[in-house]
């Protein structure tokens, strides 16, 4: 593409650095932005620049939060001895939207995937192991997507946790094999949590 | 979606205000940005904020440019009496990439579309009419997409221009009816320009 403005080209490069956004799509987005008022672009830019300083990871569970401890971990009414392990904050959002889960979460921030070069050390795992070893949990629900990577990660966590006397369960497989937790409908997801089963390694 | 951070939510709102980007996609983009270094986000924000002050419309042809007059209009080697009328700068980019067109352009910045509330007054038309009326052009090539809106716009331009003695041609229809100029392959597009035909109202 021969873009007739180097400033436009830089903006297109920024947008096409995002996952799933090609050059053509990026150009369409930037041409749309060019039609807006300067103060709208000012605001968009400010939000990008302030994103990382405002948004943090909950130091207890790894969920995204505006505070050091997230609103779920700081909620006294939740069962802090029941911990649901998920890959991503989008899974927390999906499970929270069912309105049926009263425990807390542990967000790994990814899944073990040798193909993508992601190993256990790249994930937020140790604080979960520490909590279990310190006797702070009764039950861990493994709620990773039923894919090969999810199974690998489940097995790794099982090996780390089974000596700690914590009960390890997994979501009931109402969710179709190969599909992602975050795209499951609320009823299926809600039932999978209620009907969770002991994890079998 | 119940996003656990209001700053994250604001960023998601900004991205989902872009055409074709839903909330889920926007969240995926923002989570990707969160993994970047702060100086990368700083730069992305700066580019957005400076976009409108750096990128301008060529006052002569409506093409996007870093200068008041674009590089095509200021190129003495091009034939300034041959003007190709297009909807969008992406059409300029598509025709330029064929490397076979030596005239200049006129970028309308849209197409007449009563359905979308876009009339002739919303488009960059008058400077083209003025150029033709002043005898500054020999030939106008109508290179709008062969859709109903393109035909409507062609007919409007024909009515405005046919009294000015300028020759009005249209792209040969090697391009499939209903498809967009910018997605045509270079050979088809190149041939359509060479084999342009007198415009028939
Ligand atoms: Zn938390
Ligand atoms: Zn120009």
């Amino acid at each position: 593409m021969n873009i007739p403005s180097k400033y436009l080209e830089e903006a297109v490069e920024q947008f096409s650095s995002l996952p799933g956004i090609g050059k053509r799509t990026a150009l369409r987005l930037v041409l749309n932005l060019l039609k807006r008022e300067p103060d709208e672009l000012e605001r968009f830019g400010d939000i990008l620049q302030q994103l990382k300083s405002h948004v943090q990871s909950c130091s207890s569970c790894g969920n995204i939060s505006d505070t050091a401890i997230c609103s779920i971990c700081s909620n006294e009414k939740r069962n802090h001895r029941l911990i649901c392990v998920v890959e991503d904050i989008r899974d927390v959002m999906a499970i929270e939207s069912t309105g049926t889960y009263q425990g807390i979460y542990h967000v790994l921030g990814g899944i073990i995937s040798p193909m993508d070069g992601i190993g256990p050390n790249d994930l937020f795992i140790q604080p979960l192991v520490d909590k279990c070893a310190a006797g702070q949990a009764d039950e861990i629900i493994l709620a990773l997507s039923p894919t090969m990577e999810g199974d690998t990660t489940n097995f790794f966590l099982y090996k780390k946790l089974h000596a700690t006397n914590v009960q390890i369960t997994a979501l009931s497989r109402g969710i179709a094999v190969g599909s992602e937790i975050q795209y499951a409908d609320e009823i299926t997801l809600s039932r999978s949590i209620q009907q969770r089963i002991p994890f079998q390694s």
Side-chain angles (χ1 to χ4, degrees), chain A:
Chain A
M1 275 201 311
N2 182 19
I3 297 177
S5 151
K6 88 180 161 67
Y7 296 101
L8 186 68
E9 190 161 21
E10 273 192 76
V12 169
E13 265 168 35
Q14 287 293 332
F15 278 96
S16 61
S17 75
L18 293 167
I21 306 285
K23 286 254 170 177
R24 256 181 212 285
T25 302
L27 179 59
R28 184 164 49 81
L29 302 182
V30 175
L31 292 177
N32 177 279
L33 288 173
L34 266 178
K35 289 180 187 161
R36 302 192 183 184
E37 295 300 319
D39 64 332
E40 289 181 77
L41 293 183
E42 193 67 28
R43 182 163 165 68
F44 199 156
D46 282 345
I47 285 172
L48 283 187
Q49 290 175 339
Q50 290 161 19
L51 191 61
K52 267 189 97 91
S53 55
H54 284 307
V55 178
Q56 31 192 319
S57 277
C58 172
S59 57
S60 179
C61 77
N63 190 15
I64 269 173
S65 174
D66 290 338
T67 47
I69 299 290
C70 78
S71 59
I72 295 171
C73 287
S74 56
N75 184 344
E76 303 269 323
K77 290 185 185 146
R78 306 206 50 145
N79 179 359
H80 287 239
R81 301 188 63 82
L82 174 62
I83 303 176
C84 183
V85 178
V86 294
E87 177 181 345
D88 193 289
I89 68 144
R90 286 172 287 184
D91 302 318
V92 174
M93 287 164 51
I95 295 173
E96 284 299 287
S97 72
T98 70
T100 55
Y101 178 66
Q102 290 303 319
I104 62 171
Y105 295 92
H106 189 86
V107 183
L108 298 176
I111 202 162
I112 297 173
S113 175
M115 291 280 286
D116 300 315
I118 300 170
N121 291 335
D122 300 312
L123 304 179
F124 188 65
I125 289 178
Q126 196 54 45
L128 176 68
V129 177
D130 295 343
K131 262 187 198 173
C132 294
Q136 291 169 16
D138 295 326
E139 181 181 347
I140 299 297
I141 307 173
L142 299 176
L144 303 179
S145 293
T147 57
M148 203 168 67
E149 290 82 6
D151 289 343
T152 304
T153 310
N154 278 338
F155 187 64
F156 179 87
L157 293 171
Y158 176 78
K159 280 196 300 174
K160 281 277 186 189
L161 300 175
H162 84 285
T164 66
N165 270 336
V166 76
Q167 191 188 356
I168 304 175
T169 57
L171 291 190
S172 67
R173 298 272 170 127
I175 300 163
V177 171
S179 76
E180 308 255 358
I181 299 281
Q182 57 181 284
Y183 297 121
D185 67 279
E186 293 175 12
I187 295 165
T188 303
L189 193 52
S190 180
R191 195 172 303 157
S192 292
I193 296 175
Q194 284 154 8
Q195 301 178 344
R196 61 191 181 270
I197 52 168
F199 179 73
Q200 292 164 326
S201 66

